[in-house]
Coordinates of all heavy atoms in Angstrom, one line a residue:
A246 N 116.4 75.9 121.1 CA 116.8 75.3 119.8 C 117.8 76.2 119.1 O 118.1 77.3 119.5 CB 115.5 75.1 119.0
T247 N 118.3 75.7 117.9 CA 119.2 76.6 117.1 C 118.3 77.7 116.5 O 117.1 77.6 116.4 CB 119.8 75.8 116.0 OG1 118.9 75.4 115.0 CG2 120.6 74.6 116.5
L248 N 119.0 78.8 116.1 CA 118.4 79.9 115.5 C 117.6 79.5 114.2 O 116.4 79.9 114.1 CB 119.4 81.0 115.2 CG 119.0 82.4 115.0 CD1 118.2 82.9 116.2 CD2 120.2 83.4 114.9
D249 N 118.2 78.8 113.4 CA 117.6 78.4 112.1 C 116.3 77.5 112.4 O 115.3 77.7 111.7 CB 118.5 77.7 111.2 CG 119.6 78.6 110.5 OD1 119.2 79.8 110.4 OD2 120.7 78.2 110.2
E250 N 116.5 76.6 113.3 CA 115.3 75.7 113.6 C 114.2 76.5 114.2 O 113.0 76.3 113.8 CB 115.7 74.7 114.7 CG 116.6 73.6 114.1 CD 117.2 72.7 115.2 OE1 117.1 73.0 116.4 OE2 117.8 71.6 114.9
T251 N 114.5 77.5 115.0 CA 113.4 78.3 115.6 C 112.7 79.1 114.5 O 111.5 79.2 114.5 CB 114.0 79.3 116.6 OG1 114.7 78.6 117.7 CG2 113.0 80.2 117.3
I252 N 113.5 79.7 113.6 CA 112.9 80.5 112.5 C 112.0 79.6 111.6 O 110.9 80.0 111.2 CB 114.0 81.3 111.7 CG1 114.7 82.3 112.6 CG2 113.4 81.9 110.5 CD1 115.9 83.0 112.0
D253 N 112.5 78.4 111.3 CA 111.7 77.5 110.5 C 110.4 77.2 111.1 O 109.3 77.1 110.4 CB 112.5 76.2 110.2 CG 113.7 76.4 109.3 OD1 113.7 77.4 108.6 OD2 114.6 75.6 109.3
E254 N 110.4 77.0 112.4 CA 109.1 76.7 113.2 C 108.2 77.9 113.2 O 107.0 77.8 113.0 CB 109.4 76.2 114.6 CG 110.0 74.8 114.7 CD 109.0 73.8 114.1 OE1 107.8 73.8 114.5 OE2 109.4 73.0 113.2
L255 N 108.8 79.1 113.4 CA 108.0 80.3 113.4 C 107.3 80.6 112.1 O 106.2 81.1 112.0 CB 108.9 81.5 113.8 CG 109.3 81.6 115.3 CD1 110.3 82.6 115.5 CD2 108.1 81.9 116.2
A256 N 108.1 80.2 111.0 CA 107.6 80.4 109.6 C 106.3 79.6 109.3 O 105.6 79.9 108.4 CB 108.6 80.0 108.6
K257 N 106.0 78.6 110.2 CA 104.7 77.8 110.0 C 103.5 78.6 110.6 O 102.4 78.3 110.3 CB 104.9 76.5 110.7 CG 105.9 75.6 110.1 CD 106.1 74.3 110.9 CE 107.2 73.4 110.3 NZ 107.5 72.2 111.2
L258 N 103.9 79.6 111.4 CA 102.8 80.4 112.1 C 102.6 81.8 111.4 O 101.5 82.3 111.3 CB 103.1 80.6 113.6 CG 103.3 79.3 114.4 CD1 103.7 79.6 115.8 CD2 101.9 78.6 114.4
V259 N 103.7 82.4 111.1 CA 103.7 83.8 110.5 C 104.5 83.8 109.2 O 105.4 83.0 109.0 CB 104.2 84.9 111.4 CG1 103.4 84.9 112.7 CG2 105.6 84.7 111.8
T260 N 104.2 84.7 108.3 CA 104.9 84.8 107.0 C 106.3 85.4 107.3 O 106.5 86.5 107.9 CB 104.2 85.7 106.0 OG1 102.9 85.2 105.8 CG2 105.0 85.8 104.7
I261 N 107.4 84.6 106.9 CA 108.7 85.1 107.1 C 109.4 84.9 105.7 O 109.6 83.7 105.2 CB 109.5 84.3 108.1 CG1 108.8 84.5 109.5 CG2 111.0 84.7 108.2 CD1 109.4 83.6 110.6
E262 N 109.7 86.0 105.0 CA 110.3 85.9 103.7 C 111.8 85.8 103.8 O 112.4 86.0 104.8 CB 109.9 87.2 102.9 CG 108.4 87.3 102.7 CD 108.0 88.5 101.9 OE1 108.9 89.3 101.5 OE2 106.8 88.7 101.7
V263 N 112.4 85.5 102.6 CA 113.9 85.4 102.5 C 114.6 86.7 103.0 O 115.6 86.7 103.7 CB 114.3 85.0 101.1 CG1 115.8 85.0 101.0 CG2 113.8 83.7 100.7
K264 N 114.0 87.8 102.6 CA 114.6 89.1 102.9 C 114.5 89.4 104.4 O 115.4 90.0 105.0 CB 114.0 90.3 102.2 CG 112.5 90.6 102.5 CD 112.1 91.8 101.7 CE 110.6 92.1 102.1 NZ 110.2 93.4 101.3
D265 N 113.5 88.8 105.1 CA 113.3 89.0 106.6 C 114.5 88.2 107.2 O 115.1 88.7 108.2 CB 112.0 88.4 107.1 CG 110.8 89.2 106.5 OD1 110.9 90.5 106.5 OD2 109.8 88.6 106.2
R266 N 114.8 87.0 106.7 CA 115.8 86.2 107.3 C 117.2 86.8 107.1 O 118.0 86.9 108.1 CB 115.9 84.8 106.7 CG 114.6 83.9 107.0 CD 114.7 82.6 106.2 NE 113.5 81.8 106.4 CZ 113.5 80.7 107.1 NH1 114.6 80.3 107.8 NH2 112.4 80.0 107.2
K267 N 117.4 87.4 105.9 CA 118.7 88.0 105.6 C 118.9 89.3 106.5 O 120.0 89.5 107.1 CB 118.8 88.4 104.2 CG 119.0 87.2 103.2 CD 119.1 87.6 101.8 CE 119.3 86.5 100.8 NZ 119.4 86.9 99.4
R268 N 117.9 90.0 106.6 CA 118.0 91.3 107.4 C 118.2 90.9 108.9 O 119.0 91.5 109.6 CB 116.7 92.1 107.3 CG 116.8 93.4 108.0 CD 115.5 94.2 107.9 NE 114.4 93.5 108.5 CZ 113.3 93.2 107.9 NH1 113.1 93.5 106.7 NH2 112.3 92.6 108.6
F269 N 117.5 89.9 109.4 CA 117.6 89.4 110.8 C 119.0 89.0 111.1 O 119.6 89.4 112.1 CB 116.6 88.3 111.0 CG 116.7 87.7 112.4 CD1 116.2 88.4 113.5 CD2 117.4 86.5 112.6 CE1 116.3 87.8 114.8 CE2 117.5 85.9 113.9 CZ 117.0 86.6 115.0
K270 N 119.6 88.2 110.2 CA 121.0 87.7 110.4 C 122.0 88.8 110.5 O 122.9 88.8 111.3 CB 121.3 86.6 109.4 CG 120.6 85.3 109.6 CD 121.0 84.2 108.6 CE 120.2 82.9 109.0 NZ 120.5 81.8 108.1

């Protein structure tokens, strides 16, 4: 899947904050 779609799905299982997404990108 796309990167954003994958992260959105993972966020349903584990806590992913805005700063985690920014740092990851």
Side-chain angles (χ1 to χ4, degrees):
T247 68
L248 202 51
D249 286 333
E250 287 171 348
T251 302
I252 294 173
D253 288 340
E254 285 300 308
L255 287 169
K257 296 174 183 177
L258 301 174
V259 300
T260 302
I261 299 172
E262 296 179 2
V263 173
K264 67 177 183 179
D265 296 321
R266 292 175 184 255
K267 288 181 177 178
R268 185 182 63 236
F269 175 76
K270 288 184 177 178

